Amino acid sequence: MSGAQIVTLVAAFLSGFSAVSVFLKAAWVVEPLVQYGVPRSWWNLLGTAKAAGSVGLLVGLAVPPIGIAAAVGLVLYFTGAVVTVLKARSWSHVAFPIIYAAPAAAALVLGF
């Protein structure tokens, strides 16, 4: 297994984990969403976007254009999350969406 494939698997795992955390309404995820002013009606859509990105990265191991689209989507998603956190002035939380975005960006650069 190549380094790019490992990075892609890590990115898929992290995005999938983040999606499941939203779907299960884990307190450590949804409490900040409330603080940031993210409407509850968006939560399932946000989880679905992350889950789709995760699956897309996995499919992209066999079909690279799907992986490219998924990686780009996840990088854009988590960039939006960084902006949301910054707008909420929750400085101590800025690192979290970056941690999720970094492997997706690395998968995009390394593997596709």
Side-chain angles (χ1 to χ4, degrees):
M1 187 174 293
S2 74
Q5 290 171 323
I6 292 169
V7 169
T8 300
L9 290 173
V10 169
F13 172 79
L14 287 174
S15 296
F17 173 77
S18 184
V20 169
S21 298
V22 171
F23 292 139
L24 295 178
K25 296 181 179 38
W28 56 273
V29 173
V30 297
E31 287 173 8
L33 290 177
V34 170
Q35 292 170 0
Y36 307 153
V38 177
R40 290 179 193 264
S41 62
W42 292 14
W43 294 1
N44 283 335
L45 294 172
L46 297 174
T48 300
K50 291 187 272 191
S54 178
V55 170
L57 288 174
L58 296 175
V59 171
L61 292 170
V63 185
I66 302 291
I68 291 168
V72 168
L74 286 169
V75 169
L76 291 173
Y77 175 94
F78 288 114
T79 299
V82 169
V83 170
T84 299
V85 172
L86 290 174
K87 283 178 67 175
R89 299 181 186 271
S90 187
W91 314 121
S92 64
H93 292 178
V94 173
F96 296 109
I98 293 170
I99 289 168
Y100 288 100
L108 182 62
V109 170
L110 294 174
F112 302 111

